[in-house]
Amino acid sequence: MQSKPSTANEPIHVKERFSKIYSEYIDSIFRYCLLKVSDRDIAIDLAHDVFTKYWDSLIQGMIVSHDKAFLFTIARNRIIDWYRRKKPVSLDALQEQEEWSEGLLPGSDNAKGALEMDTESRFLISKIRELSATAQQVLYLRYIEDLKPKEISDILHIKESAVSVRIHRGLNELRKVTGYEIR
Amino acid sequence: MNHKNIQKAVESLRKIVLTQQEKKALYARLEKYVDSHREAMPIVSPFYSDTVTVPYMRMYKVFLSCAALSMIAIIVLGSTTVIASANTLPGDVLYPVKVRVSEPLMLLLAMTSESHQRIQISQIEERLREVETLARENRLAPTTVAMAKALVGDEVIDLRDKLSRKSWEDLRGRLSARSGIFEYMGDRSFE
């Protein structure tokens, strides 16, 4: 996502835009945070932080070309910060081990407000949780949040081609663990 | 992911949303933040990082780049032309560059009167060498002779007033060696 300064940012227009973006993406951001931290209240606080940071960026005069990808980038960084504060280990180690992606999908016992799902969905979710953190991450962003590979590459700070490769490998992994014919 | 069970799971996950009440409560919190931070709109520095460049700074950068490129082009083309004109003869395309640009420039850059005179003498000799070369090649036109006479005559008269007696005699000796071409040109200014 390309962030550029705007020439003139009338606060009133910025607020209108902020309100529109909030209505459009609050559920996605909340869901992403909830699946990462497995705690509804914490997820709401993180979503709040994401949108305050987004507001700060807008009033600083940035033009965000892909709002959704930008919001997910902020959310990802906020979640990393949250894990960093929570666990006394280095951020590098966290990123290397991708521990911060724990609780990516619901089903963990500590997830307040867990969803009611049918047996098949629950089985599938449990299988998805068996995938590598990298595969879970890209498959989630691609198929649940409907983000394009370019937007995912902006969020994860990797090349678009690497995103496509990860999606492809993720689907292969999913095929293996579920036995489903996925095209 | 087109498997029906997967589609079902995706739909289930997409149902994870905030309730309307939670959304309103969260927006109310955000609105407080927004209202308390809307006045403090910072002025973006023109020296902000590359990723966040103010438009006029970008224009300024483009202008600077164009100016720098133009300067480089002028210097490269200019110096190439001057160098290429060094061995030209009257009638060549670049000959005017030699007599009107590079030679006057060399005179201007002379630091002392002695070096100025030395350059003048070398330029007189260069004119004579050119006439000799053209005469050898049967390319000597009357206009060329007239031009060389005018240039050499002016320089020699100018030097005669400036040079010491010894230097003047020295110059005369060197020019006498080319008396043939002087006679051909009908010029007696060095005598």
Side-chain angles (χ1 to χ4, degrees):
Chain A
M1 118 218 63
Q2 190 71 34
S3 300
K4 297 170 190 166
S6 65
T7 47
N9 261 329
E10 297 288 326
I12 187 80
H13 295 142
V14 176
K15 197 176 175 186
E16 274 172 21
R17 180 180 173 187
F18 178 79
S19 182
K20 185 172 167 284
I21 295 294
Y22 174 83
S23 321
E24 218 166 314
Y25 299 124
I26 181 59
D27 284 332
S28 297
I29 296 300
F30 164 72
R31 182 165 52 235
Y32 183 67
C33 294
L34 178 63
L35 298 182
K36 292 280 192 185
V37 300
S38 302
D39 186 304
R40 200 173 179 87
D41 294 335
I42 294 168
I44 291 174
D45 284 344
L46 286 171
H48 174 268
D49 287 354
V50 170
F51 278 92
T52 53
K53 174 75 183 161
Y54 177 67
W55 171 258
D56 290 342
S57 304
L58 289 183
I59 60 168
Q60 274 166 11
M62 284 186 197
I63 292 173
V64 182
S65 48
H66 298 105
D67 293 291
K68 194 175 180 183
F70 186 57
L71 288 169
F72 272 99
T73 306
I74 302 172
R76 182 174 181 265
N77 292 336
R78 282 285 176 271
I79 292 161
I80 291 172
D81 286 347
W82 183 79
Y83 270 93
R84 187 162 48 178
R85 282 199 303 272
K86 189 184 159 199
K87 293 181 180 178
V89 292
S90 76
L91 179 63
D92 289 341
L94 282 175
Q95 283 179 324
E96 276 170 24
Q97 296 164 20
E98 302 200 48
E99 281 182 36
W100 65 277
S101 66
E102 69 175 50
L104 176 66
L105 293 167
S108 51
D109 297 335
N110 63 342
K112 279 196 241 167
L115 277 177
E116 283 182 17
M117 287 190 217
D118 56 50
T119 323
E120 275 181 16
S121 295
R122 200 162 276 283
F123 162 76
L124 185 65
I125 298 292
S126 71
K127 288 294 171 191
I128 291 174
R129 291 182 72 212
E130 287 175 19
L131 303 181
S132 64
T134 315
Q136 286 185 39
Q137 176 96 327
V138 288
L139 291 182
Y140 174 80
L141 292 172
R142 180 72 189 98
Y143 295 106
I144 313 292
E145 299 302 344
D146 255 343
L147 286 162
K148 293 181 181 120
K150 172 76 184 76
E151 292 171 317
I152 299 172
S153 75
D154 288 336
I155 296 165
L156 302 179
H157 306 299
I158 55 174
K159 286 183 182 173
E160 197 179 337
S161 54
V163 172
S164 303
V165 169
R166 285 188 187 185
I167 291 171
H168 181 73
R169 285 182 186 160
L171 287 176
N172 280 344
E173 278 185 46
L174 193 59
R175 251 182 231 122
K176 274 184 201 161
V177 296
T178 59
Y180 291 159
E181 277 298 316
I182 307 162
R183 277 172 289 161
Chain B
M1 293 208 291
N2 52 0
H3 196 281
K4 67 175 170 127
N5 286 351
I6 292 176
Q7 290 294 347
K8 231 186 214 178
V10 166
E11 290 308 316
S12 297
L13 282 172
R14 282 184 182 157
K15 282 180 192 161
I16 302 176
V17 290
L18 285 169
T19 62
Q20 284 303 318
Q21 209 175 356
E22 284 170 330
K23 269 188 207 174
K24 276 183 190 166
L26 179 55
Y27 191 73
R29 271 171 75 191
L30 283 168
E31 213 165 20
K32 269 187 194 167
Y33 180 87
V34 163
D35 289 338
S36 61
H37 286 78
R38 62 193 306 170
E39 297 299 327
M41 189 177 290
I43 298 164
V44 181
S45 162
F47 302 104
Y48 208 53
S49 72
D50 282 339
T51 49
V52 188
T53 315
V54 179
Y56 73 79
M57 271 301 287
R58 199 179 306 153
M59 281 171 61
Y60 182 63
K61 278 183 181 176
V62 170
F63 171 76
L64 277 184
S65 308
C66 289
L69 281 174
S70 307
M71 285 296 289
I72 291 167
I74 288 168
I75 291 167
V76 170
L77 284 176
S79 50
T80 310
T81 310
V82 167
I83 292 164
S85 71
N87 291 321
T88 55
L89 293 170
D92 291 344
V93 178
L94 291 178
Y95 186 74
V97 176
K98 181 182 177 179
V99 291
R100 290 186 190 149
V101 179
S102 56
E103 288 185 354
L105 198 65
M106 282 175 74
L107 286 171
L108 267 177
L109 293 175
M111 302 290 283
T112 60
S113 59
E114 285 77 19
S115 60
H116 190 274
Q117 287 160 8
R118 264 201 308 278
I119 293 167
Q120 269 185 304
I121 292 168
S122 71
Q123 287 178 359
I124 290 168
E125 288 180 323
E126 178 63 15
R127 289 295 85 74
L128 297 174
R129 188 191 63 78
E130 289 164 5
V131 174
E132 279 172 349
T133 310
L134 287 172
R136 263 202 315 275
E137 294 173 2
N138 280 331
R139 288 166 57 199
L140 196 58
T143 47
T144 311
V145 175
M147 188 191 72
K149 262 172 71 175
L151 287 171
V152 171
D154 289 349
E155 295 294 324
V156 170
I157 289 162
D158 184 43
L159 278 173
R160 191 163 52 189
D161 299 335
K162 288 180 190 166
L163 291 177
S164 64
R165 184 165 185 80
K166 188 176 175 299
S167 303
W168 172 245
E169 287 302 325
D170 185 40
L171 175 64
R172 275 188 67 186
R174 285 160 68 182
L175 295 181
S176 298
R178 294 187 155 149
S179 55
I181 201 69
F182 272 89
E183 278 171 21
Y184 184 81
M185 288 163 65
D187 192 345
R188 297 259 177 267
S189 52
F190 72 100
E191 290 175 355

